[in-house]
Amino acid sequence: MTHAEQWQVGVYLDEESGTTTARAVLDNGTTIMTGRGKARCNPQDVEIPAIGDELAASRAMRDLAGQLMRAADRDLAAMGAVPERPRTGYGWPDDAPRPR
């Protein structure tokens, strides 16, 4: 079965007084989800806005990814496909053998 969709993700950044906030907004045509992230410059560090942008944006996208994963888990559970144990993170589980 062929299936194609296009989802739009926008990342919006705002910096004020050494704090960068980010919103990652996903619009799949039927649902809009928003992830949020923040980065704060240590007062002793040199302020480099690009680094604050990267940190805040990555945190917002990680928040959004977590929301999307929880939505997928709920949808799977509604279909009766409940995982044996709760998902605790992304990538390889701690007890799984690592590929070499």
Side-chain angles (χ1 to χ4, degrees):
M1 172 171 119
T2 301
H3 175 81
E5 286 193 37
Q6 181 172 343
W7 292 6
Q8 299 291 321
V9 178
V11 178
Y12 305 92
L13 300 161
D14 184 43
E15 191 275 326
E16 186 176 324
S17 302
T19 299
T20 303
T21 56
R23 288 181 304 118
V25 180
L26 166 69
D27 183 351
N28 68 8
T30 58
T31 304
I32 295 176
M33 301 173 89
T34 303
R36 301 187 188 285
K38 185 182 285 191
R40 196 169 32 96
C41 184
N42 184 322
Q44 298 168 349
D45 292 342
V46 175
E47 190 170 324
I48 302 173
I51 294 173
D53 292 350
E54 292 166 346
L55 286 169
S58 67
R59 290 170 179 163
M61 289 187 281
R62 181 176 54 200
D63 180 39
L64 180 59
Q67 291 178 44
L68 195 54
M69 184 63 72
R70 287 187 295 278
D73 285 344
R74 284 190 302 272
D75 291 344
L76 284 167
M79 299 299 295
V82 180
E84 291 181 18
R85 58 186 179 152
R87 186 185 323 268
T88 58
Y90 304 100
W92 296 98
D94 290 335
D95 58 352
R98 301 275 196 270
R100 296 187 190 267

